[in-house]
Amino acid sequence: MHKHLLVTGGAGFIGSNFVNYWHEKHPQDKIIVLDALTYAGNRQNLINLENSPNFFFIHGDICDRPLVDNLLEAEKITTIAHFAAESHVDRSILTPSTFIQTNIIGTFTLLESFRHYWQKQNQPSAYRFLHVSTDEVYGSLKAHESAFKENTPYAPNSPYSASKAGSDHLVRAYYHTYNLPTIITNCSNNYGAYHFPEKLIPLMCINILLGKSLPVYGDGQNIRDWLYVKDHCSALDVVLNKGKEGETYNIGGNNEVKNIDLVELICQIMDEIAPNLPVKPANQLITYVKDRAGHDRRYAIDSSKLQKELGWKPKATLESGLRSTLQWYINNQQWWQPLLSTDYQKYYQQVYGTFK
Ligand code: NAD
Ligand code: DAU
């Protein structure tokens, strides 16, 4: 049976990578993207699909219940892949309310709508509600602590991660209360093409190309566990096709790196592959800046459940994924230049004190 997917947030970073991936791998499936096109949503990310008969774009909000109800019925949706969210921790510190609205109320709206629709169809067991979540719900690890497992207690520390934790709890409750066929995935830090400039890797890459300073928070010793976005997409494919309803799967690349080491590596690769850099070697641009409030020290994901039970493995190494990502930003300046808008500069000034 061909799937009819509703992909929320499909114009954002991971959502658009997922839609492009899915369409190539499963061209017979119908994909409907529902996206509010916030600052982070960009139809350019989906430009390759615009003429495909199996792709449709709906500009709308996941909190709009009548819209979601109509979409599920009209498009005979079998699968929701829910990516739509406010996703940036620094913005959640500045304006938490939009995170509560989209991440909690938005997820609740989708769950309610899907529940009624699914019940009306006599509860088909093949339907799925895939909730794409984050490792940040598990909180922060100390140096000696072992990586997050699916049963690690939740301990979110930022308004962003607290709102994601709230949405995870709702999804869990809908499985236990109504038997709604949900699956939750908790993934580590992604990187790759179409990543909005505010996030660490694209920010460093773009600033190197522009000769701007490279702001490293605090002492630069915080650790993140990096996963190439295409490996995240292949994991979600496996989860949607083989995963068990009601389960949670952790997804990660086993690539724990200190921020400062990652920034040094980005500088080194950019020195090698980017032509005519304004400042070279690029690491002269590194500047330590005021730490993020409540900055989590370390994330690490144990994805052995996914690997053992569903047979998934990431393909990219940090070095290979980073090289193709940085090359993509070098080749696609017309994609990111317009994103450095007045609004973005205003945001940048709020976080970093200057847009130099
Ligand atoms: P993103 O910020 O790049 O994209 C979010 C998308 O959601 C945008 O297209 C935006 O327009 C859309 N959106 C926002 N509010 C909406 C609303 N109310 N209605 C409809 N659409 C709305 O985010 P991302 O980095 O691609 O993350 C996607 C999902 O994956 C999020 O749920 C995030 O929590 C999760 N996640 C991200 C990472 C990461 O490293 N980026 C890691 C693990 C999990
Ligand atoms: O772990 C998964 C999460 O990864 C996702 O759920 C989030 O949506 C995603 O944004 C990401 O969150 P982080 O806060 O880890 O990502 P970010 O790219 O913002 O920052 C990565 C690390 O780099 C973090 O320790 C903060 C630091 N940093 C970030 C920026 C933007 C800096 O040192 N300087 C910066 O300018």
Side-chain angles (χ1 to χ4, degrees):
M1 191 183 85
H2 297 314
K3 290 184 177 28
H4 287 195
L5 287 113
L6 177 66
V7 183
T8 71
F13 163 49
I14 306 176
S16 64
N17 273 281
F18 174 82
V19 170
N20 282 303
Y21 170 97
W22 197 276
H23 187 264
E24 198 179 321
K25 187 100 186 287
H26 309 282
Q28 303 302 327
D29 288 350
K30 192 168 172 186
I31 302 177
I32 292 98
V33 166
L34 172 62
D35 197 294
L37 296 179
T38 67
Y39 78 93
N42 188 346
R43 284 198 69 169
Q44 286 302 316
N45 302 1
L46 300 166
I47 200 82
N48 298 334
L49 303 178
E50 289 291 346
N51 294 322
S52 161
N54 276 337
F55 169 78
F56 302 87
F57 183 86
I58 312 289
H59 184 191
D61 195 317
I62 56 166
C63 301
D64 182 344
R65 177 73 191 273
L67 171 71
V68 178
D69 286 350
N70 287 337
L71 261 178
L72 296 182
E73 294 269 355
E75 303 296 346
K76 300 185 171 52
I77 296 299
T78 62
T79 307
I80 295 186
H82 176 34
F83 295 86
E86 288 295 333
S87 69
H88 192 37
V89 174
D90 292 317
R91 289 189 194 254
S92 84
I93 296 166
L94 295 170
T95 49
S97 62
T98 51
F99 288 71
I100 305 306
Q101 181 63 21
T102 286
N103 300 358
I104 300 183
I105 307 292
T107 302
F108 170 68
T109 307
L110 287 174
L111 283 166
E112 268 296 89
S113 180
F114 192 60
R115 171 171 81 88
H116 282 100
Y117 167 74
W118 173 77
Q119 285 173 337
K120 221 169 109 188
Q121 316 276 316
N122 293 323
Q123 314 191 349
S125 59
Y127 282 21
R128 284 288 177 275
F129 185 106
L130 170 66
H131 178 60
V132 179
S133 193
T134 170
D135 61 357
E136 299 201 11
V137 296
Y138 299 122
S140 182
L141 290 167
K142 299 212 164 53
H144 65 276
E145 286 179 314
S146 46
F148 302 129
K149 290 180 85 73
E150 286 79 0
N151 59 4
T152 301
Y154 273 35
N157 290 320
S158 71
Y160 163 68
S161 53
S163 67
K164 290 297 289 187
S167 66
D168 291 12
H169 290 325
L170 283 168
V171 175
R172 177 191 156 91
Y174 271 65
Y175 171 70
H176 284 276
T177 307
Y178 306 108
N179 297 321
L180 195 72
T182 60
I183 298 184
I184 300 175
T185 54
N186 294 94
C187 188
S188 63
N189 284 64
N190 282 220
Y191 66 99
Y194 305 118
H195 206 178
F196 194 81
E198 67 195 353
K199 306 281 170 51
L200 180 74
I201 291 180
L203 186 139
M204 294 297 161
C205 174
I206 290 170
N207 283 12
I208 291 170
L209 290 168
L210 299 176
K212 280 156 57 81
S213 68
L214 308 178
V216 174
Y217 294 159
D219 62 3
Q221 301 295 306
N222 303 65
I223 292 172
R224 295 293 181 267
D225 188 350
W226 294 94
L227 179 70
Y228 190 45
V229 67
K230 290 189 180 175
D231 283 325
H232 188 185
C233 295
S234 72
L236 297 177
D237 188 353
V238 169
V239 166
L240 270 176
N241 283 304
K242 297 205 268 175
K244 253 181 76 193
E245 58 193 76
E247 293 290 319
T248 287
Y249 298 95
N250 279 354
I251 308 174
N254 232 350
N255 283 311
E256 277 189 67
V257 192
K258 286 184 183 146
N259 289 344
I260 186 61
D261 295 342
L262 179 65
V263 174
E264 286 283 1
L265 179 60
I266 293 171
C267 289
Q268 203 183 305
I269 299 176
M270 289 297 280
D271 284 344
E272 198 189 307
I273 67 174
N276 311 319
L277 284 181
V279 178
K280 200 170 169 178
N283 67 2
Q284 295 166 72
L285 294 165
I286 293 175
T287 313
Y288 287 93
V289 299
K290 188 167 165 274
D291 209 353
R292 171 185 278 176
H295 196 176
D296 283 339
R297 196 62 172 169
R298 174 178 164 237
Y299 303 144
I301 270 276
D302 179 341
S303 60
S304 55
K305 174 177 173 185
L306 179 61
Q307 306 214 11
K308 280 193 201 121
E309 290 184 13
L310 305 187
W312 171 82
K313 259 208 326 246
K315 281 199 186 130
T317 62
L318 182 62
E319 169 103 21
S320 71
L322 210 47
R323 277 182 186 273
S324 25
T325 303
L326 298 176
Q327 192 63 58
W328 188 86
Y329 280 87
I330 294 167
N331 295 346
N332 289 280
Q333 307 216 3
Q334 83 293 348
W335 179 85
W336 54 261
Q337 278 287 0
L339 304 179
L340 309 183
S341 60
T342 327
D343 275 357
Y344 180 70
Q345 293 178 25
K346 215 168 114 197
Y347 156 78
Y348 200 99
Q349 230 146 6
Q350 273 181 291
V351 176
Y352 302 99
T354 166
F355 185 69
K356 263 208 289 116

